[in-house]
Amino acid sequence: MNAIISASELASASAGENPPVLLDVRWQLTLAKTPGELPFDGRKAYEAGHIPGAVYVDLDRELAATPGSRGRHPLPDLAGFGAAMRRAGVSSGTPVVVYDGGQGWAAARAWWLLRWTGHPDVRVLDGGLPSWEGPLETSVPTPAEGDFEPVPGATGLLDADGAAALARSGVLLDARAGERYRGEVEPIDPVGGHIPGAVSAPTNDNVGADGRFLAAEELRARFKALGASEGTEVGVYCGSGVSAAHEVLALAVAGIPAALYVGSWSEWSSDPSRPVAVGPDPQ
């Protein structure tokens, strides 16, 4: 099954006999704002207009636990995550389509969590809400309670030690912008640089100017040039396990399984005992 779906495919599926549950996960990373400027409000954006039938999911509250020593977006409490998914109408036997405002990071985080916890049929709307050409609605639906019970997967998840080991034994991709990888700037975390051995692979290079994923063959060529191909053990991290989920999704489109280091740089850099590399060289 393809991990992404086009807007036209979604329109057809929604009109079919087994329409997907739609999750709206609009979210933006909030950095320093000008005085008086309010942070992005995903729920407000949702209420102003969303794909008909879509239910809003809050990334910070429902797809992550409270920030702390495990990073800015650690894994959510699974009982709470399952309850949130059931409230949204998610059942194990019903397909799910997730979208966000177009960047794809937040939608990919929801996709990854649902896949990692055992949902068999989850896809991300390629290009997000901007790709949707149908009508929008402002009414908030009340779906029937779903039956999804999250069961964590045995693979696909890395902790800090696992990420460090994979950087030596396989391929560990750093999905952040190149300047953060090199340690030239660090707007969020206490230390700049990267996990020793990790390869710079900015998430933005997985999509075209329209925000949609490159073709599968282009993605395979990109990742092969970075050392990641089918049969290679691959892991991904970013700042806090959100944009890295988008890279895991891109790898899935390319047919390459990959694990996610959820704690990512926000966890790694908060531990002074962890080594830090700077500059363009992985080591």
Side-chain angles (χ1 to χ4, degrees):
M1 184 190 69
N2 199 346
I4 58 176
I5 185 172
S6 69
S8 60
E9 290 170 331
L10 174 58
S12 295
S14 296
E17 295 182 356
N18 188 27
V21 171
L22 294 176
L23 304 181
D24 183 314
V25 197
R26 273 178 274 183
W27 170 88
Q28 289 181 15
L29 178 62
T30 301
L31 301 177
K33 294 284 185 176
T34 57
E37 185 179 358
L38 297 175
F40 176 78
D41 188 332
R43 183 175 292 278
K44 185 176 181 180
Y46 165 82
E47 291 172 348
H50 51 267
I51 296 175
V55 176
Y56 178 70
V57 174
D58 190 311
L59 184 148
D60 290 317
R61 293 177 174 83
E62 295 172 318
L63 304 182
T66 303
S69 61
R70 294 184 297 131
R72 285 192 307 280
H73 290 105
L75 284 174
D77 170 74
L78 288 181
F81 170 67
M85 293 298 99
R86 291 190 293 275
R87 282 196 302 271
V90 175
S91 291
S92 57
T94 304
V96 178
V97 172
V98 191
Y99 72 90
D100 57 24
Q103 189 178 43
W105 295 5
R109 171 74 175 219
W111 166 84
W112 181 85
L113 273 169
L114 281 165
R115 293 292 293 151
W116 180 67
T117 54
H119 198 288
D121 189 350
V122 190
R123 287 179 285 178
V124 169
L125 176 59
D126 194 15
L129 186 61
S131 72
W132 178 253
E133 297 180 351
L136 300 178
E137 69 177 15
T138 56
S139 60
V140 177
T142 306
E145 183 89 359
D147 64 14
F148 178 67
E149 293 287 349
V151 178
T155 61
L157 177 67
L158 294 172
D159 59 12
D161 290 339
L166 185 57
R168 297 188 298 270
S169 64
V171 176
L172 181 65
L173 301 177
D174 185 318
R176 298 172 300 159
E179 58 268 25
R180 290 185 68 192
Y181 169 88
R182 296 187 295 271
E184 296 166 359
V185 298
E186 183 43 66
I188 310 171
D189 295 310
V191 178
H194 58 269
I195 297 173
V199 177
S200 181
T203 294
N204 288 343
D205 292 346
N206 295 324
V207 299
D210 59 0
R212 301 182 193 188
F213 281 104
L214 302 177
E217 58 269 22
E218 293 179 82
L219 288 170
R220 279 193 289 271
R222 182 197 181 214
F223 291 125
K224 183 177 181 180
L226 295 169
S229 57
E230 191 173 1
T232 306
E233 190 177 4
V234 181
V236 189
Y237 75 96
C238 59
S240 65
V242 178
S243 67
H246 188 271
E247 188 125 295
V248 172
L249 176 58
L251 284 154
V253 172
I256 304 169
L260 176 66
Y261 173 25
V262 174
S264 284
W265 190 248
S266 58
E267 178 186 40
W268 184 279
S269 63
S270 68
D271 182 349
S273 71
R274 296 281 178 189
V276 172
V278 296
D281 189 332
Q283 302 302 329

